[in-house]
Each structure stands twice: as C-alpha cells, then as structure tokens.
Amino acid sequence: MNWVTRVRNAIPFIAKRETAETLWHKCKGCNAMIFLKEFEENQSVCPKCDHHGRIGPAERFAALFDDDSYEVLKPPVVGEDPLKFKDTKKYTDRIKAARLATGEQDAMISAKGEINGQTAVISVQDFAFMGGSMGMAVGEAFIDAVKVAIRAKCPYIIFTAAGGARMQEGILSLMQMPRSTVAIQMLHDAGLPYIVVLTDPTTGGVTASYAMLGDVQIAEPGALIGFAGQRVIEQTIREKLPEGFQRAEYLLEHGMIDMVTHRHDLRGTLSQLIGFLAPEKKAA
C-alpha cells in the first residue's frame, strides 16, 4: 500500500468507491448477476432461478418474527479450546476470526418471539461461523433454548446448517449429539412440538442427531442434507448415485422429510404448524 492510499483511507470524509463486490451478487444456481440489494431484499433467493442462498440468524429472525417482537437469548458460556487444539492454526485463532467475521459468539443463535402472535423459540445455525460446526457452545445453546421453550410453554424451532461436529473439540463435540437428544425428549415430556427446518447444507453429526428428530421435518428447496458426502458414499459402495441424491426434493420423494417449503412461505407454514401443534393458551 503506497502513501497516497494510506492517506486517502485515513481521511474520513472521502467515501470509499463502490465495487462490483458491493453492488452485485452472482447466483450460485444460474450464475446470473443480481443487484445485491435486490437479492437481500428477496431474502437471499435468486429472482431468476429461485436458488436459496445461505443466510444468518439476524436475517432469519427478521423474516420470521413479528416486528420488534423478539429477544435474542444470551449465548452460553463454555470452556474454549478444551483440548488445546492446533492444526495449521490455533483453534483459539479460528474462533476469534469467526467472531470477527460474523459478529456472533458461536455458530448457534437463539431468540424468543412471536410468529403471527404465537410465541416460539427459534435457534439458527450460522454456516458462516466455522461451517456451523457443532461444538460445546452449540450444544449448550440448543439445550438453553429448549429450557426457555419449556418455561414459556411454546414450540421450539431450529434451522440447521452445518458441516457436522467441530473436530477441534473431539469427543466433547460428539457428546452434544446425545445431549441434544435428551433435550428433545424433555420437550416431548412437556408436550411441546419440536420443528426442524433443514437448510443448505445440513450434514455430519448434526444430521445424525437433532436435525432428523423433529416432530415435523421441513427443508428449503435444493438444500443439501445427508451424513457422509456423495463422493465418500460412491467410493464406498462403488456405484454412481442417482441425480439429485441428498437434496431436499429427493428426501421428500423417499419419505425422509415431510415438506419442502420456499423461504418466502416459511413464516406462514410455521405459523400454521404452531396453531396445529402447540397447546392452547389458558385463559388468564
């Protein structure tokens, strides 16, 4: 960086020039160039091919909850880097980088609010945070959200998006699978619905635990859903897998999920399901 650039960046009243990256979005489905603002206003769904892009917790909450009706739950405090793990980078450095990039404490954020006047607790996994990987913080956030739902006597809804367990936490990460399963049983014992919305991608240990244990299983169009990757499966069974394998529509056709719902219709679908499944509020 030369001295002219350094001086220019240091002067606050000189606006930085907008670039193609800040104005346009290239759709991963059809490669069309879309105005970024138009794409974001359409809930990150391509207006040309309907490809559903990945979105984070803030966008989910804004699209689902009634205006200003929700409160983000405080993230849990867990021990960080329990194994003192290091690969090409220290685990602590990876966490710091993910927090800086996303502005979140970890890969799962929860909130309590209302959907068309009906109370619900929603958790969202953020794939932008270390691939949405399931570590101790994610497991604890899941359990905390379940407890809030039980106290509020309302449904618990989770939006999954993960590459699986967080390898940097080893067996402690895998232990979140049975812990989350026990939490779901707590919901069932309380007579409360557990609704899962599978988004792209949902894989690994997350799929092998709480992602596939919903009373109702919903998926967004085109979402990748599976345990092992397609290449690994093909190498193992030495056969070519069918077209669309592990995609939401394929799973619906084979009875693995209950419905595939467009992102624009999710709020209405969830509201309807809450009305069907949630216990009636007792008159005061």
Coordinates of all heavy atoms in Angstrom, one line a residue, residues 43-94:
Q43 N -34.8 -11.9 0.5 CA -34.4 -13.0 1.5 C -33.3 -13.9 0.9 O -33.3 -15.1 1.2 CB -35.6 -13.8 1.9 CG -36.6 -13.0 2.7 CD -37.7 -13.8 3.3 OE1 -37.5 -14.9 3.8 NE2 -39.0 -13.3 3.2
S44 N -32.4 -13.3 0.1 CA -31.3 -14.1 -0.5 C -31.8 -15.2 -1.4 O -31.1 -16.3 -1.4 CB -30.3 -14.5 0.6 OG -29.8 -13.4 1.3
V45 N -32.9 -15.0 -2.0 CA -33.4 -16.0 -3.0 C -33.2 -15.4 -4.4 O -33.7 -14.2 -4.6 CB -34.9 -16.4 -2.7 CG1 -35.4 -17.3 -3.8 CG2 -35.0 -17.0 -1.4
C46 N -32.7 -16.1 -5.3 CA -32.4 -15.6 -6.7 C -33.8 -15.4 -7.4 O -34.6 -16.3 -7.5 CB -31.6 -16.6 -7.5 SG -31.4 -16.1 -9.2
P47 N -34.1 -14.1 -7.8 CA -35.3 -13.9 -8.5 C -35.5 -14.5 -9.9 O -36.5 -14.6 -10.5 CB -35.3 -12.3 -8.6 CG -33.9 -12.0 -8.6 CD -33.2 -13.0 -7.8
K48 N -34.4 -15.0 -10.4 CA -34.4 -15.6 -11.7 C -34.6 -17.2 -11.7 O -35.4 -17.7 -12.4 CB -33.1 -15.3 -12.5 CG -32.9 -13.8 -12.7 CD -31.7 -13.5 -13.5 CE -31.4 -12.0 -13.6 NZ -32.5 -11.3 -14.4
C49 N -33.8 -17.9 -10.8 CA -33.9 -19.3 -10.8 C -34.4 -19.9 -9.5 O -34.5 -21.1 -9.3 CB -32.5 -19.9 -11.1 SG -31.3 -19.7 -9.7
D50 N -34.6 -19.0 -8.5 CA -35.2 -19.4 -7.2 C -34.1 -20.1 -6.3 O -34.5 -20.8 -5.3 CB -36.4 -20.3 -7.3 CG -37.6 -19.7 -6.6 OD1 -37.6 -18.5 -6.2 OD2 -38.6 -20.5 -6.3
H51 N -32.9 -20.0 -6.6 CA -31.9 -20.7 -5.8 C -31.8 -20.0 -4.4 O -31.8 -18.7 -4.3 CB -30.5 -20.5 -6.4 CG -29.3 -21.0 -5.6 ND1 -29.1 -22.3 -5.4 CD2 -28.5 -20.3 -4.8 CE1 -28.0 -22.5 -4.6 NE2 -27.6 -21.3 -4.2
H52 N -31.8 -20.8 -3.4 CA -31.9 -20.2 -2.0 C -30.4 -20.1 -1.5 O -29.7 -21.1 -1.3 CB -32.6 -21.2 -1.1 CG -34.1 -21.1 -1.2 ND1 -34.8 -21.1 -2.4 CD2 -35.1 -20.9 -0.3 CE1 -36.1 -21.0 -2.3 NE2 -36.3 -20.9 -1.0
G53 N -30.0 -18.9 -1.3 CA -28.7 -18.6 -0.7 C -28.7 -18.8 0.8 O -29.7 -18.9 1.4
R54 N -27.5 -18.9 1.3 CA -27.4 -19.1 2.8 C -27.5 -17.7 3.5 O -27.0 -16.7 3.1 CB -26.0 -19.7 3.1 CG -25.9 -21.1 2.5 CD -24.4 -21.6 2.6 NE -24.3 -22.9 2.0 CZ -23.1 -23.5 1.7 NH1 -22.0 -22.9 2.0 NH2 -23.1 -24.7 1.1
I55 N -28.3 -17.8 4.6 CA -28.5 -16.5 5.4 C -28.2 -16.9 6.8 O -28.2 -18.0 7.3 CB -29.9 -15.9 5.2 CG1 -31.0 -16.9 5.6 CG2 -30.1 -15.5 3.8 CD1 -32.4 -16.3 5.5
G56 N -28.0 -15.8 7.6 CA -27.6 -16.0 9.0 C -28.8 -15.7 10.0 O -29.9 -15.5 9.5
P57 N -28.5 -15.8 11.3 CA -29.6 -15.6 12.3 C -30.3 -14.3 12.2 O -31.6 -14.3 12.3 CB -28.8 -15.8 13.6 CG -27.6 -16.5 13.3 CD -27.2 -16.1 11.9
A58 N -29.7 -13.2 12.0 CA -30.3 -11.9 12.0 C -31.4 -11.8 10.9 O -32.5 -11.4 11.1 CB -29.3 -10.8 11.9
E59 N -31.0 -12.3 9.7 CA -32.0 -12.3 8.6 C -33.1 -13.3 8.8 O -34.3 -12.9 8.5 CB -31.2 -12.7 7.3 CG -30.2 -11.7 6.8 CD -28.8 -11.9 7.5 OE1 -28.7 -12.8 8.4 OE2 -27.9 -11.2 7.1
R60 N -32.9 -14.4 9.4 CA -33.9 -15.4 9.8 C -34.9 -14.7 10.7 O -36.1 -14.8 10.5 CB -33.3 -16.6 10.4 CG -32.6 -17.5 9.4 CD -33.5 -18.3 8.6 NE -32.7 -19.2 7.7 CZ -33.1 -19.8 6.7 NH1 -34.4 -19.6 6.3 NH2 -32.4 -20.6 5.9
F61 N -34.4 -14.2 11.8 CA -35.3 -13.6 12.8 C -36.2 -12.5 12.3 O -37.4 -12.4 12.5 CB -34.5 -13.1 14.0 CG -33.7 -14.2 14.8 CD1 -32.5 -13.9 15.4 CD2 -34.2 -15.5 14.8 CE1 -31.8 -14.9 16.1 CE2 -33.5 -16.5 15.4 CZ -32.3 -16.2 16.1
A62 N -35.5 -11.7 11.5 CA -36.3 -10.5 10.9 C -37.4 -11.0 10.0 O -38.5 -10.4 9.9 CB -35.3 -9.6 10.1
A63 N -37.1 -12.1 9.3 CA -38.1 -12.6 8.3 C -39.3 -13.4 9.0 O -40.4 -13.4 8.4 CB -37.4 -13.5 7.2
L64 N -39.0 -14.0 10.1 CA -40.0 -14.9 10.7 C -40.8 -14.3 11.9 O -42.0 -14.5 12.0 CB -39.2 -16.1 11.3 CG -38.6 -17.0 10.2 CD1 -37.7 -18.0 10.9 CD2 -39.6 -17.7 9.3
F65 N -40.1 -13.5 12.7 CA -40.8 -13.0 13.9 C -41.6 -11.7 13.5 O -41.3 -11.0 12.6 CB -39.8 -12.6 15.0 CG -39.3 -13.8 15.7 CD1 -37.9 -14.0 15.8 CD2 -40.1 -14.7 16.4 CE1 -37.4 -15.1 16.5 CE2 -39.6 -15.8 17.1 CZ -38.2 -16.0 17.2
D66 N -42.7 -11.5 14.3 CA -43.5 -10.3 14.2 C -42.5 -9.1 14.4 O -41.5 -9.2 15.2 CB -44.6 -10.2 15.1 CG -45.6 -11.4 14.9 OD1 -45.5 -12.0 13.8 OD2 -46.4 -11.6 15.8
D67 N -42.8 -7.9 13.9 CA -41.9 -6.8 14.0 C -41.6 -6.5 15.5 O -42.6 -6.3 16.3 CB -42.6 -5.5 13.4 CG -42.6 -5.7 11.8 OD1 -41.9 -6.5 11.3 OD2 -43.5 -5.0 11.2
D68 N -40.3 -6.4 15.8 CA -39.9 -6.0 17.1 C -40.5 -6.8 18.3 O -40.6 -6.4 19.4 CB -40.2 -4.5 17.4 CG -39.6 -3.6 16.4 OD1 -38.4 -3.8 16.0 OD2 -40.3 -2.6 16.0
S69 N -40.8 -8.1 17.9 CA -41.4 -8.9 19.0 C -40.5 -9.9 19.6 O -40.8 -10.6 20.6 CB -42.6 -9.7 18.3 OG -42.0 -10.8 17.6
Y70 N -39.2 -9.9 19.1 CA -38.3 -11.0 19.6 C -37.2 -10.5 20.4 O -36.8 -9.3 20.3 CB -37.8 -11.8 18.4 CG -36.9 -11.2 17.5 CD1 -35.5 -11.2 17.7 CD2 -37.3 -10.4 16.4 CE1 -34.6 -10.6 16.8 CE2 -36.5 -9.8 15.5 CZ -35.1 -9.9 15.7 OH -34.2 -9.3 14.9
E71 N -36.6 -11.4 21.2 CA -35.5 -11.0 22.1 C -34.4 -12.1 21.8 O -34.7 -13.3 22.0 CB -35.9 -11.0 23.5 CG -34.7 -10.8 24.5 CD -35.2 -10.8 25.9 OE1 -36.4 -11.1 26.2 OE2 -34.3 -10.7 26.8
V72 N -33.2 -11.7 21.5 CA -32.1 -12.7 21.3 C -31.7 -13.2 22.7 O -31.4 -12.4 23.6 CB -31.0 -12.1 20.5 CG1 -29.8 -13.1 20.4 CG2 -31.4 -11.6 19.1
L73 N -31.6 -14.5 22.8 CA -31.2 -15.1 24.0 C -29.7 -15.0 24.3 O -28.9 -15.0 23.3 CB -31.5 -16.6 24.1 CG -33.0 -17.0 23.8 CD1 -33.2 -18.5 24.0 CD2 -33.9 -16.2 24.8
K74 N -29.3 -14.8 25.5 CA -27.9 -14.7 25.8 C -27.1 -15.9 25.5 O -27.5 -17.0 25.9 CB -27.7 -14.4 27.3 CG -26.3 -14.1 27.8 CD -26.3 -13.7 29.2 CE -24.8 -13.4 29.7 NZ -24.8 -13.1 31.1
P75 N -26.0 -15.8 24.8 CA -25.2 -17.1 24.4 C -24.6 -17.7 25.6 O -24.2 -17.0 26.6 CB -24.2 -16.5 23.4 CG -24.0 -15.1 23.7 CD -25.4 -14.6 24.2
P76 N -24.5 -19.0 25.7 CA -24.0 -19.7 26.8 C -22.5 -19.5 26.9 O -21.8 -19.2 25.9 CB -24.3 -21.2 26.6 CG -24.4 -21.3 25.1 CD -24.9 -20.0 24.6
V77 N -22.0 -19.6 28.1 CA -20.5 -19.6 28.4 C -20.0 -21.0 28.6 O -20.4 -21.7 29.5 CB -20.2 -18.7 29.6 CG1 -18.7 -18.6 29.9 CG2 -20.7 -17.3 29.4
V78 N -19.1 -21.4 27.7 CA -18.5 -22.7 27.9 C -17.0 -22.6 27.8 O -16.4 -21.5 27.4 CB -19.0 -23.6 26.7 CG1 -20.5 -23.8 26.7 CG2 -18.5 -23.1 25.3
G79 N -16.3 -23.6 28.2 CA -14.8 -23.6 28.1 C -14.4 -23.6 26.7 O -14.9 -24.4 25.9
E80 N -13.4 -22.8 26.4 CA -12.9 -22.7 25.0 C -11.6 -23.4 24.8 O -10.8 -23.4 25.7 CB -12.7 -21.2 24.6 CG -14.1 -20.4 24.5 CD -13.9 -19.0 24.0 OE1 -12.7 -18.7 23.7 OE2 -14.9 -18.3 23.8
D81 N -11.5 -24.1 23.7 CA -10.3 -24.8 23.4 C -9.9 -25.8 24.5 O -8.8 -25.8 25.0 CB -9.1 -23.9 23.1 CG -8.0 -24.6 22.4 OD1 -8.2 -25.7 21.9 OD2 -6.9 -24.0 22.4
P82 N -10.8 -26.7 24.9 CA -10.5 -27.6 26.0 C -9.4 -28.6 25.7 O -8.7 -29.1 26.6 CB -11.8 -28.4 26.2 CG -12.5 -28.3 24.8 CD -12.1 -27.0 24.3
L83 N -9.1 -28.9 24.4 CA -8.1 -29.8 24.0 C -6.8 -29.1 23.6 O -5.8 -29.8 23.2 CB -8.6 -30.7 22.9 CG -9.9 -31.5 23.1 CD1 -10.2 -32.3 21.9 CD2 -9.8 -32.3 24.3
K84 N -6.7 -27.8 23.7 CA -5.6 -27.0 23.2 C -5.2 -27.4 21.8 O -4.0 -27.7 21.5 CB -4.4 -27.2 24.2 CG -4.7 -27.0 25.7 CD -5.2 -25.5 25.9 CE -5.5 -25.3 27.3 NZ -6.1 -24.0 27.6
F85 N -6.2 -27.4 20.9 CA -6.0 -28.0 19.6 C -5.3 -27.0 18.7 O -5.6 -25.8 18.7 CB -7.4 -28.3 19.0 CG -7.4 -29.2 17.8 CD1 -7.5 -30.5 17.9 CD2 -7.3 -28.6 16.5 CE1 -7.5 -31.3 16.8 CE2 -7.3 -29.4 15.4 CZ -7.4 -30.7 15.5
K86 N -4.5 -27.5 17.8 CA -3.8 -26.7 16.8 C -3.6 -27.6 15.6 O -3.1 -28.7 15.6 CB -2.5 -26.2 17.3 CG -1.7 -25.3 16.3 CD -0.4 -24.9 16.9 CE 0.4 -24.0 15.9 NZ 1.7 -23.6 16.4
D87 N -4.0 -27.1 14.4 CA -3.6 -27.7 13.1 C -2.7 -26.7 12.4 O -1.6 -26.4 12.8 CB -4.9 -28.1 12.3 CG -6.0 -27.1 12.4 OD1 -5.7 -26.0 11.8 OD2 -7.1 -27.4 12.9
T88 N -3.2 -26.2 11.3 CA -2.4 -25.1 10.6 C -2.5 -23.8 11.4 O -1.7 -22.9 11.2 CB -2.9 -24.9 9.2 OG1 -4.3 -24.6 9.1 CG2 -2.6 -26.2 8.3
K89 N -3.6 -23.7 12.2 CA -3.8 -22.5 13.1 C -4.3 -23.0 14.5 O -4.8 -24.1 14.6 CB -4.9 -21.6 12.5 CG -4.6 -20.9 11.3 CD -5.7 -20.0 10.9 CE -5.4 -19.2 9.6 NZ -6.6 -18.3 9.2
K90 N -4.1 -22.2 15.4 CA -4.6 -22.5 16.8 C -6.1 -22.4 16.7 O -6.7 -21.5 16.0 CB -4.1 -21.5 17.8 CG -2.6 -21.6 18.1 CD -2.2 -20.6 19.2 CE -0.8 -20.8 19.6 NZ -0.3 -19.8 20.6
Y91 N -6.8 -23.3 17.4 CA -8.3 -23.2 17.5 C -8.8 -21.9 18.0 O -9.7 -21.3 17.5 CB -8.7 -24.4 18.4 CG -10.2 -24.5 18.6 CD1 -11.1 -24.1 17.5 CD2 -10.8 -24.9 19.8 CE1 -12.5 -24.2 17.7 CE2 -12.2 -25.0 20.0 CZ -13.0 -24.6 18.9 OH -14.4 -24.7 19.1
T92 N -8.1 -21.3 19.0 CA -8.5 -20.0 19.5 C -8.4 -19.0 18.5 O -9.3 -18.1 18.5 CB -7.6 -19.6 20.7 OG1 -6.2 -19.8 20.3 CG2 -7.8 -20.5 21.9
D93 N -7.5 -19.0 17.6 CA -7.4 -18.1 16.5 C -8.5 -18.2 15.5 O -9.0 -17.2 15.0 CB -6.0 -18.2 15.8 CG -4.8 -17.8 16.6 OD1 -5.1 -17.0 17.6 OD2 -3.7 -18.2 16.3
R94 N -8.9 -19.5 15.3 CA -10.0 -19.7 14.3 C -11.3 -19.1 14.9 O -12.2 -18.6 14.2 CB -10.2 -21.2 14.1 CG -9.0 -21.8 13.2 CD -9.3 -23.2 12.8 NE -8.2 -23.8 12.1 CZ -8.0 -23.6 10.8 NH1 -8.8 -22.8 10.1 NH2 -7.0 -24.2 10.2

